[in-house]
Amino acid sequence: MAQKSHLHLDEEPDYNEYVVCKYRVTTDLPMEKAAEALAAEQSTGTWTGISTLDDEIFDTLGARVVSIEGDEVVVEFPVEDFSVEVGSVPQILSVIAGNLFGLGSLKGVRLEDVSFPDSINSQFKGPKFGAQGIRELLGRPEKPLVGTIVKPKIGLDPERTAQYVYEAGSGGLTNSKDDETLVDQAFCPIDERTVAVAEALDLLKDEGHLMMHAINVSTRGDRIVELAEKVQGWGATELMVDVITCGFGAVQALAEDPSIKVPIHVHRTMHGAFTKDPYHGIAMLPLTRLVRMCGGDALHIGTLGVGKMAADAKDDGNLAACLGDDVPFKTVMPVCSGGAYPGIVADIIARSGMDVQIQAGGGVAGHPGGVKAGAMGMSQAVDAAFLGIPAEEYAKDHPELSEALAKWGKKK
Ligand code: CAP
Ligand code: MG
């Protein structure tokens, strides 16, 4: 076959029949040549022409470069390039985010965004609960949810973990969670922790505080469903999955399993390995879209440039990807976490709006008055932002917030 081109620069992207990807490409090659190399490698080509590639295969399955603007390259992949099996993120990622990152001809390439046609979206079920479902479970229809991460992230035994949760709930928080590195270590067996936390949540409920705690069930693919079912049986009100280390399929397996009847909080630890570099890797946005397709009910999207983790100062599209109505799935509760504390709650909400879960680990456990006072400080900061009252004004008759502002101040 004569060498045919993957370039279709005179055409518009076809969002109905193709998976459309936007890449940022850094290369010493002419950009058209780099774009061709990317499209070839991810579809029907390789580093040299091959005798076995005929027109039929190329025309049907070949990726198409439909736009090059500066370092932004848009490539569309025929839906026939993807599994017909029910919703397979592994195979999708091998196509849109596979070998291309290693191509020697590309100094850098970053997958910035992806759009799936209905024929792919229809293979996925999305969240069971979504943001609205979580709100209904908590009886909190409008205000931002406010949570904590039990700190230290490892080390507390089940009883001290439960005590932390009880104090956090007594201080007005709606959510708490295990940290991303805590699952089933000897110092805090998951069964004992789940039972102890469930008892604390029941006590809080009797005292008028509705709260949920996400038990981290991140484990091997062949065990995560069984562990989740056990944890649910021990009284868990929410599950947590570290989606990058466990895989999108782990979230999907739990979300699509009818026996799992509690929300799934999705943590993204390890994402920084490929989201942080603006010129190489994968932006958070494609990951957010995949988590929603796979059924995560809540997802960490960072603190919109306000907290400790490196992030785009502007919203990089993740809020809309969680809450937008452009896809046939329930919404995902955006979770803003990472170096959060009462003094920056208003800044986060100014960027996120009210449909958000703000959570703080150090920003609660580091409060001079202890966990309950720390929880009150965070809860008061959210109340102030919800009412449109400056935190320092609201702090005048809310001492826990005042102490938090005195210790950490406002946005640095
Ligand atoms: C926050 C946190 C979360 C990060 C993850 C932590 O604790 O528990 O894992 O928010 O951030 O371990 O750092 P602090 P991201 O509130 O004490 O910072 O999702 O942006 O990677
Ligand atoms: Mg953490």
Side-chain angles (χ1 to χ4, degrees):
M1 181 188 91
Q3 189 75 8
K4 296 182 82 173
S5 172
H6 288 275
L7 299 180
H8 297 264
L9 298 176
D10 55 342
E11 296 174 29
E12 290 297 313
D14 180 350
Y15 292 94
N16 296 318
E17 295 303 323
Y18 290 82
V19 172
V20 183
C21 292
K22 185 165 66 174
Y23 297 96
R24 182 195 298 255
V25 177
T26 307
T27 177
D28 294 331
L29 294 176
M31 193 54 84
E32 291 191 358
K33 195 166 176 54
E36 282 253 40
L38 188 161
E41 179 60 37
Q42 296 313 119
S43 60
T44 54
T46 184
W47 64 275
T48 182
I50 49 179
S51 61
T52 47
L53 176 57
D54 63 30
D55 284 353
E56 164 74 15
I57 293 173
F58 185 88
D59 295 341
T60 310
L61 303 180
R64 301 149 57 89
V65 180
V66 289
S67 170
I68 297 176
E69 289 184 20
D71 63 356
E72 184 182 284
V73 174
V74 176
V75 180
E76 59 183 23
F77 297 90
V79 289
E80 293 82 1
D81 289 12
F82 301 92
S83 296
V84 292
E85 65 171 312
V86 177
S88 169
V89 171
Q91 193 267 338
I92 287 173
L93 285 175
S94 296
V95 174
I96 68 174
N99 285 357
L100 62 94
F101 296 117
L103 284 176
S105 56
L106 306 183
K107 286 171 71 177
V109 52
R110 189 184 202 232
L111 173 62
E112 294 284 359
D113 198 2
V114 58
S115 167
F116 296 100
D118 290 347
S119 61
I120 299 282
N121 275 332
S122 61
Q123 296 178 352
F124 292 84
K125 294 184 176 149
K128 269 195 195 104
F129 294 86
Q132 190 55 35
I134 290 177
R135 285 186 172 282
E136 285 164 13
L137 288 171
L138 292 170
R140 188 139 160 147
E142 293 177 334
K143 270 188 191 177
L145 307 185
V146 52
T148 188
I149 308 100
V150 176
K151 298 287 182 179
K153 55 176 71 181
I154 54 173
L156 299 186
D157 64 18
E159 289 66 33
R160 290 178 69 188
T161 302
Q163 181 57 28
Y164 187 116
V165 172
Y166 177 75
E167 288 184 29
S170 303
L173 299 191
T174 57
N175 299 78
S176 61
K177 64 182 265 304
D178 293 345
D179 221 332
E180 73 281 350
T181 56
L182 177 69
V183 181
D184 191 21
Q185 289 92 322
F187 58 79
C188 194
I190 193 166
D191 53 350
E192 295 174 31
R193 176 168 84 251
T194 304
V195 170
V197 166
E199 288 168 358
L201 294 174
D202 286 343
L203 188 55
L204 285 165
K205 189 174 181 180
D206 293 344
E207 295 169 359
H209 297 286
L210 272 185
M211 184 183 192
M212 62 174 68
H213 177 92
I215 297 286
N216 191 0
V217 295
S218 298
T219 188
R220 298 167 31 169
D222 62 336
R223 295 190 178 184
I224 194 164
V225 173
E226 180 190 2
L227 179 59
E229 286 170 342
K230 284 180 182 173
V231 160
Q232 186 176 252
W234 294 324
T237 52
E238 191 177 28
L239 303 174
M240 179 164 120
V241 177
D242 295 340
V243 62
I244 306 299
T245 54
C246 289
F248 289 87
V251 173
Q252 194 175 8
L254 297 178
E256 295 184 2
D257 184 328
S259 70
I260 300 298
K261 302 182 188 309
V262 294
I264 301 166
H265 179 106
V266 178
H267 196 287
R268 59 178 186 167
T269 191
M270 195 165 86
H271 74 94
F274 36 80
T275 57
K276 198 171 177 181
D277 183 336
Y279 295 100
H280 190 74
I282 305 173
M284 184 63 202
L285 187 51
L287 306 178
T288 299
R289 298 190 191 286
L290 291 170
V291 166
R292 186 170 179 183
M293 292 158 74
C294 290
D297 294 294
L299 170 66
H300 284 237
I301 60 163
T303 50
L304 305 174
V306 180
K308 76 181 178 186
M309 299 293 194
D312 292 343
K314 63 187 180 354
D315 168 34
D316 37 19
N318 289 295
L319 284 168
C322 286
L323 298 170
D325 57 6
D326 54 334
V327 289
F329 307 117
K330 288 184 180 178
T331 57
V332 175
M333 179 58 76
V335 177
C336 287
S337 171
Y341 54 91
I344 65 169
V345 163
D347 302 284
I348 294 174
I349 290 175
R351 288 166 171 79
S352 65
M354 298 298 169
D355 220 355
V356 68
Q357 176 174 321
I358 298 183
Q359 54 183 49
V364 166
H367 191 284
V371 169
K372 181 174 180 180
M376 293 173 76
M378 276 298 287
S379 180
Q380 291 160 4
V382 167
D383 289 347
F386 183 70
L387 295 168
I389 301 171
E392 55 274 24
E393 185 61 34
Y394 201 74
K396 287 175 181 168
D397 47 9
H398 291 87
E400 296 79 10
L401 176 54
S402 177
E403 281 185 286
L405 293 177
K407 177 167 185 178
W408 294 304
K410 296 193 67 183
K411 184 171 178 296
K412 302 274 185 293

